[in-house]
Amino acid sequence: MADKIIENNQVSIMGKIDTGFTFSHQVFGEGFYTMEILVRRLSDSEDRIPVMVSERLLDVTQDYTGEYIEIQGQFRSYNRHEEKHNRLVLSVFARELKFVEEDEETVPLNQIFLDGYICKPPVYRRTPLGREIADMLLAVNRPYGKSDYIPCICWGRNARYASAFTVGGHVLLWGRIQSREYMKRIGENQTERRIAYEVSVSKLEYID
């Protein structure tokens, strides 16, 4: 059962470690820490991706900043209560990792596969330049009755296709994890820079 659940949420990324470790939480005496890695795009820009790692996988007392690492895992979410509302927090949960040599010829690695269910009506729109976009929120089941809620964005033909999906619909999708900076208004005259994470979809299938 657990193996089947893990198969429905698969992430492979490779990038440069850009931060130290920050303690997140503890489960049955096992500490979990977050770090951020920079993953190159084909366009040579970068995505900043948060990673959750167990102290059993990596020596969290060491500084690995600048090292290149390949990670296999899952894209997970949890709700963090902020002020008067909940904020969806996303990160890659590392199951396996290894340090790698960076090479100019290395093809950027950023792949995700999700098998889940539509939990909000997709939002279809066009940009001012006429590009078609559809936003989806996918619920991906985890063991023990839990689910991860993953924001996904579709483009062009995929956006038109996704716009017809209904809540509860079963979807398979492939893509990459991307980060996007935005300014959050936190007061009348105050804003804060934040980073949003989502799956940029390259292929999707609707399962009847």
Side-chain angles (χ1 to χ4, degrees):
M1 174 68 175
D3 286 345
K4 185 176 189 310
I5 294 293
I6 290 168
E7 285 175 5
N8 67 5
N9 185 339
Q10 300 177 43
V11 173
S12 299
I13 56 174
M14 186 190 74
K16 182 170 68 173
I17 298 174
D18 194 52
T19 66
F21 296 101
T22 301
F23 177 76
S24 172
H25 63 283
Q26 197 173 59
V27 179
F28 300 121
E30 181 179 1
F32 290 87
Y33 293 76
T34 56
M35 63 177 179
E36 292 182 348
I37 70 170
L38 298 176
V39 179
R40 240 179 351 111
R41 294 188 187 183
L42 289 172
S43 62
D44 275 344
S45 57
E46 292 176 316
D47 289 297
R48 177 177 292 276
I49 298 178
V51 175
M52 181 84 66
V53 62
S54 164
E55 62 187 355
R56 295 182 185 177
L57 277 183
L58 212 53
D59 182 355
V60 295
T61 65
Q62 299 295 313
D63 182 3
Y64 299 105
T65 304
E67 300 267 357
Y68 285 84
I69 195 166
E70 184 176 324
I71 294 169
Q72 313 290 327
Q74 298 166 277
F75 203 27
R76 290 192 175 178
S77 72
Y78 73 92
N79 273 315
R80 184 166 68 203
H81 191 68
E82 290 186 356
E83 297 161 2
K84 297 178 181 177
H85 63 279
N86 287 329
R87 181 182 173 200
L88 191 67
V89 178
L90 296 149
S91 63
V92 172
F93 181 81
R95 289 193 166 275
E96 298 176 26
L97 51 81
K98 64 179 180 181
F99 289 97
V100 294
E101 293 292 326
E102 169 67 353
D103 189 324
E104 290 296 323
E105 303 301 316
T106 303
V107 176
L109 177 62
N110 182 349
Q111 298 171 346
I112 183 168
F113 166 74
L114 297 174
D115 175 347
Y117 299 86
I118 301 290
C119 52
K120 280 185 180 178
V123 177
Y124 173 85
R125 65 190 192 280
R126 285 178 182 267
T127 68
L129 295 176
R131 195 171 190 194
E132 296 172 285
I133 299 175
D135 295 306
M136 300 188 305
L137 188 64
L138 204 67
V140 181
N141 293 333
R142 226 199 278 176
Y144 312 112
K146 294 184 178 180
S147 295
D148 292 297
Y149 296 92
I150 311 297
C152 304
I153 186 165
C154 305
W155 311 88
R157 187 172 57 184
N158 282 336
R160 287 197 300 278
Y161 181 38
S163 67
F165 294 174
T166 55
V167 172
H170 186 186
V171 175
L172 309 181
L173 63 82
W174 295 258
R176 64 178 177 82
I177 300 170
Q178 69 177 20
S179 62
R180 173 172 51 82
E181 286 192 6
Y182 69 100
M183 299 304 293
K184 170 78 172 176
R185 189 170 184 150
I186 55 175
E188 280 193 26
N189 302 307
Q190 202 174 2
T191 58
E192 180 180 84
R193 185 177 67 87
R194 289 190 173 177
I195 301 178
Y197 305 99
E198 60 206 357
V199 173
S200 179
V201 177
S202 57
K203 177 185 173 186
L204 76 166
E205 295 178 10
Y206 192 84
I207 309 296
D208 292 329

